[in-house]
Amino acid sequence: MTGLNPSDIAFSDSIKQVQSEKGSRDFYARMGETQPWSSRITPELGRFISDQTSVFFGTASRTGQPYIQHRGGPAGFLHILSDRQIGFADLAGNRQYITIGNLTENPWAFLFLIDYEHSRRIKLWGTAEVVEGDPDLMKRLVVKEQRGRPERAILFTLEAWDINCPQYIPQRLDIARVDTMLAERDLRIHELEAELALLKA
């Protein structure tokens, strides 16, 4: 990373060439100077990460074959371990081990976080490693409400991150959020009914 702008992680020379051909290179070059991407987890980003219940985790083989894995859990299952590192417990799955195999030969990885309710998505580039047989680390990463059997730890070291355009994100609510909103609505209805009864009296 020495001497590089963090956005260069995403914008390779070939990508910059395409941006030039399509007319967007000057815009992104200026943005890189005035609003450079960060390679650190800010407090705001940390809160966003900690609130997520779902993440898409991208890796690739040594030859470049890509793979995306979904990981989910209660809010807080993604742990901020430092201003550059995120960790989570990897739970037992279908035993294909594609992500783990990819990381044995290619450490580059990608996290994609999306908040459907508020139309926000964040992209994080970095490297990842698999940690086996570390009970102390696992104790830090396992969330009580999390279902499934934890088998190992995944540590993601951040190199760059960027906020994606909110355009075209469909608004969706998870069941827990809907339950909370309905409970708040029912409580407000009850309060209004009580006020109305007092006025009639």
Side-chain angles (χ1 to χ4, degrees):
M1 285 294 296
T2 303
L4 292 179
N5 187 307
S7 64
D8 289 335
I9 293 290
F11 297 157
S12 64
D13 290 341
S14 60
I15 291 172
K16 290 177 182 178
Q17 178 62 37
V18 173
Q19 290 175 346
S20 295
E21 294 170 358
K22 303 296 184 182
S24 64
R25 181 65 215 140
D26 289 343
F27 169 80
Y28 284 111
R30 287 194 304 271
M31 183 175 288
E33 295 173 357
T34 60
Q35 302 176 48
W37 291 9
S38 177
S39 58
R40 302 287 176 179
I41 299 172
T42 63
E44 183 180 8
L45 175 61
R47 287 190 294 272
F48 182 84
I49 293 171
S50 298
D51 287 342
Q52 299 312 298
T53 59
S54 177
V55 63
F56 296 97
F57 184 34
T59 59
S61 67
R62 182 178 59 252
T63 58
Q65 181 64 41
Y67 181 68
I68 296 178
Q69 180 182 60
H70 174 263
R71 280 290 178 258
F77 87 97
L78 293 174
H79 296 260
I80 309 300
L81 302 180
S82 74
D83 67 352
R84 289 199 61 209
Q85 193 169 69
I86 301 166
F88 61 92
D90 191 41
L91 307 181
N94 58 14
R95 299 170 61 89
Q96 289 185 343
Y97 302 123
I98 299 175
T99 295
I100 296 172
N102 283 346
L103 291 176
T104 64
E105 58 184 18
N106 180 0
W108 287 103
F110 181 80
L111 293 179
F112 186 81
L113 306 176
I114 184 165
D115 177 352
Y116 290 101
E117 181 178 351
H118 302 100
S119 298
R120 294 180 296 179
R121 52 188 170 189
I122 293 182
K123 304 171 291 189
L124 301 98
W125 287 263
T127 58
E129 62 176 309
V130 178
V131 180
E132 306 266 11
D134 189 333
D136 292 334
L137 177 59
M138 291 301 295
K139 188 179 295 185
R140 293 179 63 189
L141 299 182
V142 171
V143 180
K144 289 182 180 179
E145 299 82 5
Q146 199 164 13
R147 296 185 300 173
R149 177 169 53 85
E151 291 188 326
R152 63 191 62 80
I154 303 289
L155 300 180
F156 179 88
T157 300
L158 181 67
E159 292 288 350
W161 65 274
D162 184 38
I163 299 175
N164 217 88
C165 172
Q167 193 174 21
Y168 306 126
I169 298 177
Q171 189 172 40
R172 297 174 181 168
L173 302 176
D174 62 30
I175 293 176
R177 178 62 177 145
V178 171
D179 287 343
T180 298
M181 295 174 71
L182 290 177
E184 292 172 349
R185 181 208 60 183
D186 292 344
L187 177 61
R188 182 56 179 156
I189 290 174
H190 177 73
E191 292 172 344
L192 291 173
E193 287 176 339
E195 291 177 10
L196 182 60
L198 285 174
L199 290 173
K200 287 182 176 180

